[in-house]
Amino acid sequence: MDSPPLVQWAAPILSIHLVVLFSTTLLTLGYFSVKSPLDTFPAVGHSSLITSYVTALRWTRHGDEILQEGYDKYAGRPFKVATMSKWIVILSGKQLLEDMKKAPDEVVSLRQAVAETMHVEYTLGRKPDDGCYHIDTVRSPLTRHMINKFDDIRDEIVQSFKEYIPPAKDWVTVPAFETLMHIICRTSNRYFVGLPLCRDPGYRVLNERFTHDVAISARIINSFPDFMKPWEVFNNRLKDHTASGKIPRATNQGENDLVSWLLDTCTESKHRSIDDLTMRVLTVNFAAIHTTSMAATQALFDLAIHPEYVMELRQEVKQALAELGWTKAALQRMHKVDSFLKESQRLNNMGGMLMTRKTLREWRLSDGTIIPAGTFVGVASGAMNKDERSFPEPHAFKGFRFVNETVRSDVASRGMATLDPEYVVFGYGRHACPGRFFAINEIKAILAHVLLNYDIQLENGSTVRPPNVVLETTLLPNPNARMMFRRTTSV
């Protein structure tokens, strides 16, 4: 059975639990009032103990609008928004991002925020403080080996497209997000675990379902107060998946795969177990499949409704490949492709709020604001990415907006992977997304393959971009949107 797109199940399940929570919380909290240390922060929407839940309910489907409202009103100043389980303090602007970048981990913690947001003890079956050495694996050996193993990545893209979207003279219609998720799952795992496991249907479904289930479970759990969370998770998939006692390994890659890189990176013997290694492989897949599939889908939506970019992009791809072949170096030459993807993510990045942290101690910002210990903090990245002071005509799609930046002599530091306090897609500072280099090159290679081999359009030739689905501050590509492909005759 194929894995259902994330949003097909997220919205109805989340809505049911939100209604239950809303009713229960009003009954429970309606009898008393608790003074919050965040009372001095300006709020977007309602701020009283009871009426704040009206805003929290709106947050579940209009979080992006709430953040934009707060950004327009309080840009550069901290403000707070109410969610079902907590208040979140929102930061924006260069200076406050620099504050977050400089804050030590013992004061402002990414790990604790992720642990409590994703509820890793319930969704991933591990303790919040159980180490994140797999991040070092992604940051170093996984990224470093991409040059040597690019042929494998390219081969799997070719084979996956042949299977899921065979080039044909007539139009072939496919579900966009679901199809790209299958292709990206196979391509990523060709790199992670090699042949034949990356093509094994059971292994593919395992990773796609794991990605789906973790995301859905975390969202449902976040709708409930802390004391209710352990009872809301009934199915520990991780134990089921590791019960076989097998570690995913490549059969033809020798010692050059994700498992070997994990073993090289981990320093504690307790992590050298089947259960731990399996969980790490699943976790890396979760990050690779979840976000990359969304970004690739958004890029193809933009390409379909902006056909005026196709010929220039296609010509750039052909020229780069003629000079350097299918290599990582060739992808770095594709400045227009890079700019097109960067613009697509500027307008339709999955996170309207990124860089979530939890304060472990009282934190003083450079403007003198004191954020109490135990506070969740986030950055209004979506609103910042649409600020006209940084991006003229901010709501217009300009595919080559960033070309002048990427063709400078410092191209390596100005491409899509660049960390910029005005363009916040992968975070900022030392905790920025470690897998962004792999993800960007994978999406570039996929887009280049599409440009050389297919003509594309939305179903029935529609020129209207499929509307995103909003879950809190997450923008998801429309799961029902279908795209049409045919073998191009323009190359």
Side-chain angles (χ1 to χ4, degrees):
M1 178 184 296
D2 285 339
S3 173
L6 171 64
V7 294
Q8 284 187 346
W9 294 105
I13 293 176
L14 189 57
S15 297
I16 292 171
H17 285 83
L18 289 175
V19 171
V20 174
L21 176 63
F22 183 69
S23 302
T24 303
T25 305
L26 288 181
L27 290 172
T28 304
L29 299 181
Y31 297 100
F32 60 89
S33 176
V34 178
K35 185 174 178 59
S36 167
L38 298 177
D39 283 348
T40 58
F41 285 75
V44 178
H46 298 283
S47 59
S48 72
L49 179 67
I50 300 303
T51 59
S52 63
Y53 282 93
V54 175
T55 300
L57 191 58
R58 180 176 170 231
W59 171 266
T60 63
R61 297 306 300 269
H62 301 280
D64 58 331
E65 296 175 11
I66 292 175
L67 288 179
Q68 186 66 57
E69 180 183 342
Y71 185 81
D72 292 341
K73 195 171 183 179
Y74 304 110
R77 296 166 50 200
F79 61 91
K80 67 181 180 181
V81 296
T83 73
M84 279 297 178
S85 59
K86 56 184 172 287
W87 286 98
I88 301 178
V89 171
I90 306 298
L91 308 180
S92 63
K94 288 183 180 180
Q95 187 55 57
L96 296 187
L97 259 69
E98 289 294 335
D99 289 350
M100 183 173 283
K101 176 182 177 181
K102 296 175 182 177
D105 291 344
E106 60 269 21
V107 176
V108 181
S109 174
L110 168 63
R111 179 181 295 186
Q112 191 63 34
V114 171
E116 294 187 28
T117 301
M118 296 302 299
H119 301 282
V120 295
E121 66 269 43
Y122 309 134
T123 58
L124 299 178
R126 65 181 177 88
K127 297 178 181 179
D129 60 352
D130 198 25
C132 297
Y133 74 87
H134 56 277
I135 294 177
D136 293 329
T137 304
V138 173
R139 184 178 288 115
S140 185
L142 188 145
T143 299
R144 186 176 65 251
H145 285 282
M146 190 165 32
I147 295 176
N148 299 328
K149 300 187 71 174
F150 188 79
D151 286 347
D152 289 347
I153 296 173
R154 163 64 181 160
D155 179 64
E156 202 58 38
I157 289 173
V158 172
Q159 298 306 318
S160 295
F161 269 91
K162 284 182 179 178
E163 179 173 335
Y164 295 112
I165 317 176
K169 181 179 179 181
D170 298 323
W171 289 105
V172 175
T173 305
V174 299
F177 176 72
E178 182 179 342
T179 302
L180 282 166
M181 181 171 60
H182 296 333
I183 292 170
I184 286 168
C185 181
R186 274 184 47 169
T187 302
S188 299
N189 278 283
R190 176 67 180 270
Y191 184 54
F192 297 162
V193 300
L195 291 169
L197 190 57
C198 69
R199 297 178 185 175
D200 181 90
Y203 179 77
R204 177 182 63 77
V205 170
L206 163 64
N207 281 290
E208 291 178 6
R209 287 298 309 220
F210 183 80
T211 297
H212 170 269
D213 292 346
V214 166
I216 292 299
S217 297
R219 288 192 175 278
I220 293 174
I221 295 169
N222 273 324
S223 301
F224 288 80
D226 289 342
F227 73 90
M228 296 177 64
K229 288 167 182 173
W231 289 276
E232 191 53 34
V233 180
F234 300 108
N235 186 15
N236 189 336
R237 287 186 174 269
L238 183 61
K239 290 182 180 178
D240 294 338
H241 296 327
T242 60
S244 64
K246 296 179 179 178
I247 302 175
R249 294 301 301 268
T251 60
N252 65 346
Q253 300 296 316
E255 293 299 321
N256 192 25
D257 60 24
L258 178 56
V259 174
S260 66
W261 301 333
L262 286 166
L263 289 171
D264 289 342
T265 307
C266 70
T267 58
E268 298 184 48
S269 59
K270 68 178 182 179
H271 296 310
R272 294 174 178 270
S273 68
I274 291 172
D275 283 7
D276 191 273
L277 287 169
T278 302
M279 182 273 292
R280 305 288 170 171
V281 172
L282 288 169
T283 300
V284 173
N285 266 280
F286 170 74
I289 297 171
H290 190 57
T291 56
T292 308
S293 297
M294 292 181 188
T297 303
Q298 299 285 21
L300 288 191
F301 286 169
D302 287 322
L303 191 64
I305 65 171
H306 294 288
E308 66 272 19
Y309 290 100
V310 170
M311 292 309 296
E312 280 193 73
L313 291 171
R314 186 174 282 160
Q315 184 58 39
E316 180 183 66
V317 171
K318 290 171 62 178
Q319 182 175 344
L321 295 179
E323 295 176 6
L324 298 169
W326 277 103
T327 60
K328 184 172 177 289
L331 297 182
Q332 292 178 326
R333 289 277 189 92
M334 299 178 189
H335 307 303
K336 293 179 181 178
V337 172
D338 189 283
S339 176
F340 189 92
L341 291 173
K342 189 172 181 178
E343 178 74 345
S344 178
Q345 282 295 282
R346 183 185 70 83
L347 291 171
N348 293 286
N349 177 245
M350 69 167 290
M353 180 183 72
L354 295 178
M355 299 177 66
T356 305
R357 306 286 191 269
K358 184 177 181 180
T359 57
L360 303 182
R361 301 178 189 172
E362 186 177 271
W363 180 33
R364 181 183 291 273
L365 302 178
S366 58
D367 65 0
T369 302
I370 295 177
I371 299 180
T375 302
F376 272 81
V377 181
V379 169
S381 54
M384 289 182 63
N385 290 339
K386 299 178 184 68
D387 192 322
E388 64 181 356
R389 291 168 294 185
S390 302
F391 307 102
E393 297 181 71
H395 296 285
F397 183 92
K398 297 185 176 183
F400 297 154
R401 183 187 294 269
F402 301 102
V403 168
N404 288 337
E405 294 184 357
T406 60
V407 297
R408 294 174 184 170
S409 59
D410 60 343
V411 58
S413 64
R414 295 303 304 171
M416 187 179 177
T418 302
L419 300 179
D420 188 328
E422 292 183 325
Y423 177 86
V424 187
V425 168
F426 297 106
Y428 187 60
R430 65 187 179 281
H431 291 304
C433 174
R436 66 188 185 277
F437 302 100
F438 174 73
I440 290 170
N441 281 285
E442 185 176 28
I443 299 171
K444 273 188 175 182
I446 287 173
L447 186 59
H449 180 81
V450 170
L451 286 164
L452 290 183
N453 292 278
Y454 298 93
D455 294 324
I456 68 170
Q457 63 181 23
L458 294 174
E459 189 172 25
N460 298 322
S462 173
T463 58
V464 178
R465 199 182 197 283
N468 292 319
V469 175
V470 181
L471 293 175
E472 297 182 346
T473 61
T474 301
L475 298 182
L476 304 168
N478 195 300
N480 300 315
R482 295 167 64 84
M483 294 192 67
M484 302 175 71
F485 294 75
R486 71 179 179 189
R487 184 174 61 246
T488 185
T489 57
S490 301
V491 178

